[in-house]
Amino acid sequence: DVYIKPDLDGISATDFERHKEAAARGRAAADAVAGRLQRLSVGEQQYAQWWGRIAAPEMHAPSVDEIEIAGLKQVTPETVKRHIRQQEGEPLDTDALNQDLLRAFGDGYYQSVDYTLLSTRERNILRITPLEKSWGPDYLRFGINLQVADQGTSFDLRAAYQKTWLNSLGAELLVTGQIGSFNLAAVQFYQPLDAAQTLFVQPIVRYERQFEPVFQNDQKLAEYELNATVAELAGGWNIGLLGQARIGWQQKRQRATLSTGLPLLPEGTINYGGGFLTLDLDQSNRLYFPSQGWSAKLRYFSSSDLNFSRIDARAGVAYTLGRHVLTAAAAYTGSPRGQLPVFDASSLGGFLRMSAFAPGQLLGDDVFYGQLKAERIIGTLPIGLRGDMRLGIALEAARRGEPYSETQRTGWLNSTTLYVGGETPLGPVYVGYGYSTSGTWNLYLFLGTP
């Protein structure tokens, strides 16, 4: 016998998305003993004769005459069908169908999604059977956000109540709350306008309370209390499986009050409204630790009340090479018209947002940001947790055309971060160290959802 034992360290029985990597490791292990295997081989003619005796006749995929969605109680069949590319009258494509059922399962309404092909009276019926969750349709979720750094600590507790399928079109109500360093209360209602949920309307009301630091020469000289009330009404379009586009109106009332320190920035209350347009596309395979895919986000807001407009743009890509994951991201925030309000400007600082700087240390307008990350999968988290454990390095750079804080820091700023991270049931967890050649540094412990 020739015993071949591939190196599958770090790949568990549930890492289905890494099957290609596992197969590659198996091939490498077989290649390593190719000389021993060669002694067991036979000639090409003898092999062809042997294969001809056992090879099964070529089978053609049956044609699908009808597609049926069965077993649903609350979810509508159109909600499932929007994911299915299989067409009636065409041969069954099992690979594409399995991918489509995984996407349907990702809607979060089902315990499982399966199919069977039935032959009745010379007709082939593709029956798709989603099994709706036995719990719900009301959900209560909790979360935390903890960031312990040498230059400041923040902690937030989060809760959300979600009620799904309020009507036959799949309307949803989401109520969220957060207390801690950043207080938040919000209510949003999602109402599809058709059974396939292609078009929708979405009103949102939220209240925010937070403290904004003001830094100069790496010293926190002031802290402002910000209170904001925001109301939005948007109409949207779910762009197939790519993402979502929205257009609407936002009204905002914000009050800034000096809490401690020097009066470096203006206080007072501002009221303004304006139209906005957003485009949110996401083809990443994971939410927090993507190993493949890309994403792109764009938001444009324009207010005639304060005579300014704002653009927020961000794009990212992830690629896996063996046990290494490479990611890149770029972002820009600026005002094509006028100037961003001081307390509605771009804010950088904190873990993997220019890690060498304190959270909120870099405030300004016309801000460019770039990030390159290289990670090595070094194992999996202990039992009870989940996901890869990664050792990574992040290179970051940012430039502010109009600084509102740290006004003496001009030009391009850099930050290098070394970290170990993984995913837990509470969200990502990181331990890291950030350093900038400008002389600032930070130690981090991060847990929760950003």
Side-chain angles (χ1 to χ4, degrees), residues 297 311-316 328-334 346-348 353 366-371 397-399 412:
K297 295 183 179 183
I311 285 182
D312 293 277
R314 183 180 180 88
Y332 171 77
T333 298
S346 176
S347 177
L348 288 175
R353 289 179 52 82
D366 191 29
V367 177
F368 291 87
Y369 170 79
Q371 180 193 86
R399 182 185 68 81
W412 284 95

Side-chain angles (χ1 to χ4, degrees), residues 243-375:
Q244 187 180 91
R246 300 165 70 239
I247 186 171
W249 181 270
Q250 180 190 84
Q251 194 71 34
K252 186 172 186 178
R253 182 181 186 275
Q254 186 179 65
R255 183 177 76 253
T257 306
L258 179 65
S259 178
T260 60
L262 303 175
L264 302 176
L265 298 176
E267 299 181 75
T269 301
I270 55 175
N271 290 279
Y272 61 95
F276 66 86
L277 173 67
T278 65
L279 182 64
D280 190 349
L281 308 177
D282 196 334
Q283 295 294 289
S284 301
N285 63 343
R286 294 182 184 176
L287 180 59
Y288 299 118
F289 284 86
S291 56
Q292 294 286 347
W294 59 270
S295 63
K297 295 183 179 183
L298 175 67
R299 177 183 170 92
Y300 177 77
F301 175 82
S302 180
S303 173
S304 58
D305 296 338
L306 298 183
N307 193 31
F308 82 98
S309 61
R310 173 181 177 134
I311 285 182
D312 293 277
R314 183 180 180 88
V317 62
Y319 179 75
T320 296
L321 189 63
R323 295 179 62 83
H324 296 85
V325 180
L326 306 176
T327 62
Y332 171 77
T333 298
S335 52
R337 176 171 56 89
Q339 186 172 332
L340 296 182
V342 173
F343 293 111
D344 198 13
S346 176
S347 177
L348 288 175
F351 188 66
L352 294 182
R353 289 179 52 82
M354 298 299 287
S355 301
F357 299 88
Q361 183 172 350
L362 303 175
L363 195 67
D365 192 357
D366 191 29
V367 177
F368 291 87
Y369 170 79
Q371 180 193 86
L372 292 174
K373 290 196 304 182
E375 300 174 331

Side-chain angles (χ1 to χ4, degrees), residues 62-71 92 97 114-129:
S63 178
V64 175
D65 297 302
E66 182 182 347
I67 298 176
E68 178 184 285
I69 311 295
L92 177 64
L97 181 59
D114 206 346
Y115 77 93
T116 185
L117 188 66
L118 305 176
S119 296
T120 305
R121 298 178 182 177
E122 299 182 354
R123 286 173 52 84
N124 294 318
I125 301 176
L126 175 61
R127 177 174 294 172
I128 299 173
T129 52

Side-chain angles (χ1 to χ4, degrees), residues 149-218:
D150 182 73
Q151 299 186 41
T153 298
S154 63
F155 178 73
D156 298 299
L157 292 174
R158 298 172 174 173
Y161 168 73
Q162 181 184 20
K163 188 174 182 61
T164 63
W165 290 97
L166 292 170
N167 54 42
S168 61
L169 295 180
E172 296 185 8
L173 174 69
L174 180 62
V175 180
T176 56
Q178 178 174 304
I179 59 173
S181 304
F182 183 92
N183 294 329
L184 168 71
V187 178
Q188 57 179 291
F189 184 74
Y190 172 78
Q191 176 61 67
L193 300 180
D194 60 295
Q197 298 190 3
T198 304
L199 301 176
F200 63 89
V201 294
Q202 188 174 32
I204 300 174
V205 178
R206 69 177 184 270
Y207 169 78
E208 304 169 354
R209 179 178 178 268
Q210 60 180 312
F211 290 90
E212 184 74 46
V214 181
F215 285 79
Q216 191 69 28
N217 300 324
D218 298 326

